[in-house]
Amino acid sequence: MSTTPGPTDRDPQQPLGIDALLERVRAGYERIEPHEAHEAARAGDALLVDIRYAALRERDGFIPGALVVERNELEWRLDPQGSHRLPEATSHALRIVVICNEGYASSLAAQSLHQLGLHRATDLVGGFQAWRGAGLPVV
């Protein structure tokens, strides 16, 4: 019998670490690939939300039709019950696809939206860079 703790034997007092946290967060919902996100947005079934900071948007461009909401304002702007919500934040049933630069920060952001009751929130695998790499529209 091994005395080395396994992944399920982790001491709850020990810090989780970002890689393990991302794995845990992503297990709670289905992420979306660039082409699927593009089609869902075109069909009106998803709201694309770009959380990249201004310098990245200026450097790399924008996804046409995506709503720009900087990460530090995301929950305030998308909570359908919030006093600072955007007009697009119409209900908890809204399908939101969060997009960051490479698909890491967006996973944590999607999990935060889940905590607000936005259970259809997801994030884009590979982020903006995967979108652009797939040849999807960028302006």
Side-chain angles (χ1 to χ4, degrees):
M1 180 169 189
S2 173
T3 58
T4 305
T8 58
D9 299 327
R10 193 181 63 76
D11 179 353
Q13 300 301 315
Q14 292 295 318
L16 187 60
I18 189 61
D19 293 329
L21 177 61
L22 277 173
E23 185 177 324
R24 179 183 291 175
V25 163
R26 289 172 175 169
Y29 64 91
E30 187 174 329
R31 301 178 78 208
I32 191 169
E33 297 287 337
H35 284 286
E36 184 183 353
H38 180 251
E39 288 304 315
R42 282 182 40 171
D45 184 42
L47 176 65
L48 304 180
V49 179
D50 187 342
I51 64 168
R52 294 175 301 142
Y53 54 89
L56 287 177
R57 294 191 309 269
E58 290 168 10
R59 182 189 77 189
D60 294 337
F62 300 84
I63 296 172
L67 183 64
V68 174
V69 180
E70 298 234 0
R71 175 63 189 98
N72 63 324
E73 297 182 359
L74 187 69
E75 293 82 359
W76 298 106
R77 301 296 187 209
L78 294 180
D79 178 4
Q81 297 175 335
S83 58
H84 293 87
R85 72 181 178 278
L86 293 170
E88 293 86 353
T90 56
S91 93
H92 285 94
L94 183 63
R95 185 177 185 197
I96 298 167
V97 178
V98 183
I99 302 166
C100 68
N101 195 49
E102 294 181 345
Y104 295 99
S106 57
S107 295
L108 299 177
Q111 191 259 353
S112 181
L113 294 177
H114 278 240
Q115 291 177 327
L116 291 175
L118 294 156
H119 297 292
R120 294 184 71 207
T122 187
D123 75 311
L124 186 67
V125 175
F128 178 86
Q129 297 305 323
W131 178 282
R132 185 172 61 180
L136 294 168
V138 174
V139 292

